[in-house]
Amino acid sequence: MALANHRRQHLWAFLHLVVQFSLYVKTTGHVRYSIQEELQTGTTVGNVAKDLGFEASELADRNLRVVTGTKQELFQVNQGDGALFVNQRIDREELCGNTIPCYINLKAVIENPLEMHHITVEIVDVNDHAPSFPDKEYRLEIPELTMIGAKFQVEGAQDSDIGLNALRLYKLTQNDYFQLEITELSEDSKIPFITLKKSLDRELIPQYNMQLTAIDGGSPKKSGTLNITVVVLDANDNAPICGQQKYTVTIPENVPLGTVLMQVNASDADEGINGQVEYSFRSKFRNKASELFTLNPTTGEITVKDTIDFEKQKEYEINVQVSDRGLSPMVAYCNVFVKVEDVNDNVPEIDITSLSSQIPESAPIGTTVALMGVRDLDSGVNGQVVCTLPENLPFDLKPSSEGSYYSLVTKNSLDRELVAKYDIVIKAKDQGTPSLSSMKTVEVKLSDINDNSPVFLQSPYTLYLLENNDIGASIFTISAHDADENENARISYSLGNIFHGQSVASFLNINPDNGNIYALKSFDFEILKTFQFQVVAKDSGNPSLSSNVTVNVFILDQNDNAPVILSPVNSNGSTEFVEEIPRNVIAGHLATKVRAYDPDIGYNGWLSFSLLQVTDPTLFGLERYTGQIRTLRPFMESDKADHKLIVLVKDNGNVSLSATATVLMKAVEFKEAFAASDVKSTVNHEKETSVSFYLIISLGSVSALFVISIIGLIAMQCSKPQDESPKYTRDSNYVDTSGNGTLCHSIQYRSGEKRYMLVGPRMSIGSTPVPSSNGNTLTVSEQRRTLSGENLSLHRLQQKDMI
């Protein structure tokens, strides 16, 4: 049972500790010390860490410091052992004047977690000031007729110390004519008077020398002396007398300049100039009163000449000297005590004692951001201050129990991507009438955490790339951005896989820093028309976040293939051929036909034929789009038997490419031509059979590749939403001017608002494939060389309907 109780006690202690740490700032600690003034710098006052219960081993990490709230750093704390020591000379009289007791209020602030404790240091007076008189010498002139018992006031000594160390008594050197009397206005204000106790006779003794000693109550005692010289005069034997020895007046601070404070009244029993009095300030201590007030020497009116500030001084003592105008003036002294009332003329002040200028955006609710103290130099309700924050901020102010300190804490979740920095305006308002306020701005920055993935500028990307691109050149740039910052926003790029599981490394490379994509090979439209790959963007946060995007690549055709002559071609591969025709042919006879194809598509593969050289241009003609060579007229007896025709075949690319074929026409008699025709027909039949076999194989391969490409494009189209228009459409718009030439077809690529059309040759009805043609240029069989006018018109109408 004892063990269970022991564990229960430990558990309650642990829970108590947790509750204590959950507080925003602890301000319950209060330590008091008492020291004497004028201690040597470095003197230890006390051990703050020990008295407040801090562990010495934690001081270096928790940054224990002392905040005085003033510009004077009178005390400092040792970071090593927590000892509070004197940092500057401490003069109680300078700090507190006559105020008793004299307290210095400090704040001990320690971090991790933030805590604040109050320290009160009482400054005890030491007897470091001796009483002193305004003058070392005092001359007193007394008429010889002065009556016994007459009193003559002497300006008293001043002692800045207080309590027992203040001025306690006066002593006058022993003599037969004068004695000392003391009038106490207050405990610390004693006025010495010299009283005549025996008649004077100037003829016997014209002058007396005495010494007045002022002694304080310190231990050891200190004293000051005043040498008094009494000169015996004739006649003016009455000194002025003040209406009151002590005047008291109360005024509010900040009274208008020129305001009459009061009037001092004094009288003199003498007559004439010996009875006329004048007023003046009498103080060699040069206190603040002589700077703030003026005294009319004739009327005795005291007027305000400078601003009265309650916060600087709450009470003033004005020493007024009254003297007559006799040849040997006699003087008297009276004292005016001015009490100042407070008005609400000071705005509240906000002092940031500790500030976390940057906090993570993931900081939990209740995180302490700053500690601040508020003060108002006014007193009473004029000095009571309330701090507030603007609305709609994710922060709150938590006041301390005393109300003079506040904690700035978070009250809502933070998001740096929405607001990266807060300029928090704290308003302090006092309770005076009318109230005064001030504002202070605290800047709080949010540090980033990696909570955002990279985002691509578009998805997917579409790239149209001309074939025959330069190897190693940049072909595209992928760009992504990350809403985070610094390392969390630094993006690196890498390539994913081509769809269908192929590695992209053999095709492309990407710069991981800027997303530039480089081609590792030159693409050929005739081999590869389209492919896809993925790019992965990954930030550098910990843990890192990533996203990917698909890039669709379409290879665009260029005119990079020259026309290839298919026939007439000799067995050795030469494009020079001999054609025999009978001499008796009529005009329009088909002598032969030049066949060619171009692996390119569209206008790059659209061929036209022309005669580069001809022996007799009146005898033979060439159809531009079919390559057919026909006779323009019948042979005549004068015509040569041998004719040479050089046929130029070129495509319609922007920079056209061409090839030439040489046809040698040999005119023979009808019988020779018939025999030669039989032999040639047999040979041509065998050659065409062989050529057709290889052409069918080549056309089948190209057609299979084309079908695979179309299936892939259709699959991509099907993966898109139904309301999107198809990316690839067939365009059958084509006009064959002759009916037997190289016909065109087209494939349209569509991406967003852009449309690209690839135009290429298409087989006509009844055409026969030629070996190595890739299916782009076809040769029309002899049976269907031409289209009738009706069929041509029907063909055009069908194309018009398709458009």
Side-chain angles (χ1 to χ4, degrees), residues 90-330:
I90 299 176
D91 187 347
R92 191 207 62 80
E93 289 74 22
E94 180 180 343
L95 293 175
C96 300
N98 295 327
T99 302
I100 300 175
C102 180
Y103 291 123
I104 302 297
N105 294 313
L106 310 175
K107 277 76 71 177
V109 179
I110 190 167
E111 300 176 352
N112 301 321
L114 287 171
E115 296 182 18
M116 183 180 67
H117 301 271
H118 293 280
I119 301 175
T120 301
V121 180
E122 181 183 7
I123 309 301
V124 179
D125 183 54
V126 297
N127 193 20
D128 56 342
H129 294 85
S132 61
F133 292 90
D135 300 308
K136 295 296 182 183
E137 304 288 336
Y138 179 71
R139 178 183 174 89
L140 178 61
E141 297 179 346
I142 302 177
E144 62 178 343
L145 299 179
T146 302
M147 297 180 64
I148 296 173
K151 295 182 179 180
F152 302 95
Q153 182 179 343
V154 179
E155 188 169 8
Q158 299 290 332
D159 193 336
S160 299
D161 295 324
I162 60 174
L164 294 176
N165 298 324
L167 176 65
R168 281 290 172 265
L169 57 92
Y170 291 93
K171 287 185 178 181
L172 185 65
T173 51
Q174 186 67 33
N175 64 87
D176 297 329
Y177 289 88
F178 299 95
Q179 66 181 10
L180 180 64
E181 292 185 9
I182 302 298
T183 300
E184 291 190 6
L185 300 180
S186 64
E187 181 180 356
D188 296 325
S189 181
K190 298 176 174 60
I191 300 176
F193 289 84
I194 296 177
T195 304
L196 181 64
K197 65 178 182 179
K198 187 176 180 179
S199 298
L200 300 176
D201 188 351
R202 189 187 62 81
E203 287 70 22
L204 294 177
I205 305 176
Q207 181 174 306
Y208 299 89
N209 294 315
M210 299 174 290
Q211 189 176 71
L212 179 64
T213 302
I215 304 172
D216 64 21
S219 178
K221 298 181 183 298
K222 292 187 176 183
S223 62
T225 59
L226 174 66
N227 295 319
I228 301 176
T229 300
V230 178
V231 178
V232 180
L233 301 176
D234 290 332
N236 190 16
D237 53 358
N238 289 285
I241 300 174
C242 292
Q244 297 181 35
Q245 191 64 54
K246 176 182 178 181
Y247 294 90
T248 300
V249 62
T250 301
I251 60 171
E253 64 174 327
N254 300 324
V255 295
L257 304 184
T259 300
V260 176
L261 185 65
M262 61 161 296
Q263 184 176 14
V264 177
N265 295 313
S267 62
D268 192 313
D270 296 324
E271 294 182 350
I273 60 174
N274 293 329
Q276 297 177 2
V277 297
E278 58 182 7
Y279 306 90
S280 64
F281 290 133
R282 182 72 175 99
S283 176
K284 293 295 181 70
F285 293 104
R286 312 312 304 167
N287 58 22
K288 192 69 174 178
S290 60
E291 299 176 6
L292 299 177
F293 306 100
T294 58
L295 177 62
N296 189 307
T298 303
T299 63
E301 288 184 343
I302 299 176
T303 307
V304 178
K305 74 171 183 177
D306 202 350
T307 302
I308 307 297
D309 192 349
F310 173 85
E311 286 71 41
K312 291 183 178 180
Q313 192 166 337
K314 299 176 178 58
E315 186 175 356
Y316 296 91
E317 181 180 354
I318 304 174
N319 298 318
V320 179
Q321 173 181 293
V322 184
S323 63
D324 59 31
R325 296 184 178 182
L327 294 177
S328 299
M330 302 185 69

Side-chain angles (χ1 to χ4, degrees), residues 595-663:
R595 293 180 176 87
Y597 86 98
D598 192 317
D600 296 319
I601 68 169
Y603 291 104
N604 295 330
W606 192 355
L607 303 182
S608 62
F609 302 84
S610 62
L611 285 175
L612 188 63
Q613 180 180 336
V614 60
T615 304
D616 187 351
T618 64
L619 183 56
F620 294 100
L622 175 65
E623 291 188 6
R624 182 176 181 183
Y625 295 110
T626 64
Q628 295 177 349
I629 300 175
R630 296 180 181 271
T631 58
L632 300 178
R633 60 177 175 80
F635 277 90
M636 296 186 294
E637 292 296 333
S638 60
D639 290 333
K640 296 180 181 180
D642 296 326
H643 295 268
K644 181 178 181 180
L645 287 80
I646 299 178
V647 179
L648 175 66
V649 183
K650 66 176 182 178
D651 57 32
N652 282 277
N654 289 334
V655 179
S656 63
L657 303 177
S658 62
T660 59
T662 302
V663 180

Side-chain angles (χ1 to χ4, degrees), residues 421-548:
K421 183 184 73 171
Y422 290 91
D423 292 323
I424 304 172
V425 179
I426 302 171
K427 182 177 181 180
K429 182 178 180 181
D430 62 30
Q431 304 299 305
T433 303
S435 64
L436 301 177
S437 63
S438 64
M439 291 183 291
K440 188 152 191 171
T441 301
V442 175
E443 182 182 275
V444 178
K445 295 181 179 179
L446 303 185
S447 60
D448 184 52
I449 63 171
N450 193 24
D451 56 347
N452 290 277
S453 300
V455 177
F456 289 95
L457 298 184
Q458 64 184 75
S459 179
Y461 284 90
T462 301
L463 168 61
Y464 296 93
L465 177 64
L466 287 172
E467 65 173 333
N468 303 320
N469 54 288
D470 295 334
I471 298 176
S474 174
I475 61 173
F476 199 55
T477 299
I478 294 292
S479 181
H481 73 277
D482 195 310
D484 297 317
E485 64 178 1
N486 300 328
E487 288 299 310
N488 295 331
R490 189 165 63 85
I491 299 175
S492 61
Y493 302 89
S494 61
L495 292 174
N497 291 330
I498 295 181
F499 286 18
H500 314 304
Q502 301 180 28
S503 174
V504 78
S506 60
F507 285 83
L508 305 169
N509 189 17
I510 189 169
N511 187 318
D513 297 324
N514 56 28
N516 287 341
I517 299 176
Y518 302 90
L520 299 182
K521 74 170 189 176
S522 181
F523 294 98
D524 188 349
F525 174 81
E526 287 71 36
I527 298 176
L528 180 64
K529 292 179 174 55
T530 180
F531 64 92
Q532 294 177 319
F533 65 92
Q534 286 187 331
V535 175
V536 179
K538 182 179 181 181
D539 61 33
S540 300
N542 185 17
S544 63
L545 302 176
S546 63
S547 58
N548 55 60

